[in-house]
Amino acid sequence: MATREFVAQVGRDAAFQLEACVHCGQCAGACHFYLVTRDPRYTPIHKLRPMMKAYQRERAPFAALRKWMRIAPDDPTAQELNEWSELIYDSCNLCGRCTLACPMGIDIAGLVRRAREGMSAAGFAPQDLYTAAEHALETGSPIGVRWPALKRQIEIQEKETGLRIPVDVEGADYLVVLSSMEIIGYAEVIGALARIFHQARVSWTIPSAGFEATNIGVQIGSRDVAAALVSRIVEAAERLKVKYVISPECGHAFSALRWEGANLLGRPLPFKVVQIVELLDQLVREGRLRTRGKDTRKLTFHDPCQLVRRGGIEQAPRRLMDRVSEHFAEMPGHGAASLCCGGGGGVSAIHRADKLRFAAFERKKQQIDATGADAVVTACSNCRNVLEEAIDQYAMTLPVLGLSELVAQYLEPD
Ligand code: SF4
Ligand code: SF4
């Protein structure tokens, strides 16, 4: 069963990529899980062994001959699959740093994502992710956040800001979707957006159904779940006839909708997907968003992997940082080479992986320490939560801030 599922994932292009590996080992030096443990099992290309074995057994040139000669790799055992489950879920953030490092251009992170499709279909994904997927299909949210919880947060932010937050406004230009992490942990971002859009005269709305941005389907590796979750956002956008959907401060939500959305849906998206950082940068450049004053602390910026490496959003957050920060200090290896926070790709939702992700944070800690920053800013609520937890684990004291909230803090008064 598992071999069949893996083989289904090994399309012709994946097979070409697997064949292209020259075993140079450069991907090892790119992966923080390998760097902190020096365990060869955490070499990125090694994490694709189940896929390779399935490919060599079923699809590689002379596979039938090898099977007949009984020299083909055996079908993986349940024990091997459980071990591999740890490699492609717990120790991979789908961060893409290894992909960037590979001289043969092998998209290792993309192949791990495909391998997850086989593992989840075969029943070998972590139970935490199956549970999150069930919650998401039932309620829209991987942690079961429903409309009454968001409605309550909206009411609180309306009181805080004195602004009306538009809900279900048909014909608005922009639809704002949010991650459960933002709704539960960082709801101030809703008030920050209200203040920003008020100043910039942006026509926007939040949907009362289809408001969840996160997509557990791309993390567990289930195309069906991913497509169902994308469809809910599309239904909300079509119902309210918006032109744009704003992907919030959530890295993988952006990749799921912007890069995978149309393929998952099976037709072009009927709107443009704009990442919130891109939009803020655009509003500043158009003179519609004006700031006054700057944060005087030394601030550094953590690049969310899905925004900077997969999304190419590198300069926009820096222009915004320069606008609101007097002492902006870059981490060594920032931008496209940035290290993951350790919790991306669903790893932060896998409890059995906690120890490993906290260990992986050691490299990120070194980068943060090198800046001497008083606070870390980022543009992904999952990174923010993971950084906060890791900072606490390492007994560090600096706070982690959201970029949209920081910009809203320095808006020019009306
Ligand atoms: S860097 Fe690329 S070619 Fe080298 S071992 Fe890794 S996957 Fe193979
Ligand atoms: S995608 Fe990131 S975490 Fe996964 S193997 Fe590559 S470098 Fe390591």
Side-chain angles (χ1 to χ4, degrees):
M1 164 72 174
T3 304
R4 271 205 310 278
E5 293 295 344
F6 281 125
V7 170
Q9 298 309 316
V10 184
R12 188 174 297 173
D13 67 309
F16 280 148
Q17 291 193 58
L18 293 175
E19 290 278 15
C21 176
V22 292
H23 309 287
C24 68
Q26 289 194 42
C27 51
C31 182
H32 46 318
F33 290 108
Y34 172 79
L35 289 172
V36 296
T37 61
R38 297 288 164 183
D39 183 339
R41 292 184 314 127
Y42 296 142
T43 302
I45 194 66
H46 178 78
K47 297 173 188 176
L48 291 170
R49 261 197 80 211
M51 203 179 212
M52 274 179 170
K53 272 181 87 172
Y55 164 70
Q56 283 160 357
R57 182 175 166 79
E58 305 292 339
R59 281 260 177 106
F62 309 111
L65 178 65
R66 274 200 291 265
K67 263 198 208 171
W68 179 74
M69 294 175 69
R70 300 183 185 278
I71 56 171
D74 292 335
D75 255 340
T77 62
Q79 190 191 338
E80 282 176 315
L81 287 169
N82 276 321
E83 284 166 13
W84 281 325
S85 173
E86 195 236 330
L87 294 184
I88 63 168
Y89 286 100
D90 306 30
S91 72
C92 182
N93 299 121
L94 304 177
C95 78
R97 202 162 183 263
C98 51
T99 297
L100 200 69
C102 176
M104 302 306 290
I106 300 172
D107 182 7
I108 306 164
L111 292 175
V112 170
R113 161 96 164 78
R114 285 206 218 172
R116 285 188 183 190
E117 292 272 342
M119 287 297 258
S120 76
F124 288 92
Q127 186 52 49
D128 291 330
L129 297 188
Y130 284 123
T131 304
E134 276 166 30
H135 281 148
L137 287 176
E138 191 191 328
T139 66
S141 153
I143 54 171
V145 175
R146 296 174 196 260
W147 167 243
L150 173 55
K151 185 165 173 272
R152 176 85 186 112
Q153 298 290 35
I154 288 174
E155 287 165 358
I156 292 170
Q157 293 305 313
E158 285 185 327
K159 276 203 187 114
E160 289 281 323
T161 61
L163 295 168
R164 194 182 69 79
I165 294 176
V167 173
D168 285 337
V169 176
E170 196 176 307
D173 287 340
Y174 290 88
L175 186 81
V176 168
V177 289
L178 297 157
S179 70
S180 288
M181 184 65 75
E182 286 175 303
I183 296 167
I184 297 304
Y186 309 111
E188 303 77 24
V189 74
I190 301 170
L193 294 182
R195 293 176 58 222
I196 288 169
F197 293 157
H198 174 74
Q199 190 198 73
R201 303 284 180 259
V202 168
S203 151
W204 70 296
T205 191
I206 294 176
S208 60
F211 56 78
E212 177 64 51
T214 56
N215 194 317
I216 187 72
V218 301
Q219 296 176 327
I220 193 171
S222 168
R223 202 181 158 80
D224 292 345
V225 174
L229 299 179
V230 162
S231 298
R232 290 178 193 180
I233 296 175
V234 173
E235 278 163 26
E238 288 181 330
R239 174 169 54 89
L240 298 172
K241 301 181 178 64
V242 297
K243 297 181 192 132
Y244 304 90
V245 170
I246 300 177
S247 182
E249 291 200 5
C250 178
H252 89 269
F254 175 66
S255 292
L257 194 60
R258 176 110 147 218
W259 309 128
E260 299 192 36
N263 283 335
L264 289 168
L265 195 66
R267 62 183 166 97
L269 294 178
F271 48 78
K272 283 191 177 166
V273 181
V274 192
Q275 214 284 325
I276 183 64
V277 173
E278 292 177 306
L279 179 61
L280 298 187
D281 181 51
Q282 179 194 325
L283 294 173
V284 168
R285 285 188 284 120
E286 290 173 352
R288 295 167 65 189
L289 187 58
R290 299 170 304 281
T291 58
R292 183 185 292 175
K294 290 187 176 188
D295 197 304
T296 54
R297 289 171 293 179
K298 193 179 218 186
L299 302 181
T300 189
F301 183 74
H302 164 70
D303 286 283
C305 304
Q306 298 299 322
L307 298 191
V308 72
R309 246 187 311 274
R310 294 264 171 198
I313 301 176
E314 183 168 359
Q315 292 311 313
R318 290 176 165 75
R319 283 193 288 268
L320 293 170
M321 286 298 294
D322 282 338
R323 193 138 197 116
V324 295
S325 169
E326 203 160 296
H327 303 291
F328 172 37
E330 289 279 24
M331 290 184 210
H334 59 271
S338 170
L339 282 169
C340 180
C341 62
V347 172
S348 60
I350 306 170
H351 289 111
R352 69 182 190 199
D354 283 353
K355 199 171 159 206
L356 185 59
R357 89 170 144 99
F358 287 135
F361 179 75
E362 188 192 306
R363 286 279 166 148
K364 193 84 226 174
K365 178 184 183 302
Q366 287 169 6
Q367 292 188 331
I368 295 171
D369 286 347
T371 65
D374 302 312
V376 183
V377 182
T378 190
C380 169
S381 54
N382 191 54
C383 292
R384 189 172 170 183
N385 182 249
V386 168
L387 289 170
E388 282 178 347
E389 286 182 358
I391 280 169
D392 186 57
Q393 278 284 320
Y394 280 76
M396 297 159 75
T397 50
L398 69 179
V400 187
L401 316 171
L403 183 54
S404 303
E405 286 160 65
L406 185 66
V407 170
Q409 209 181 322
Y410 290 96
L411 288 183
E412 193 177 88
D414 275 342

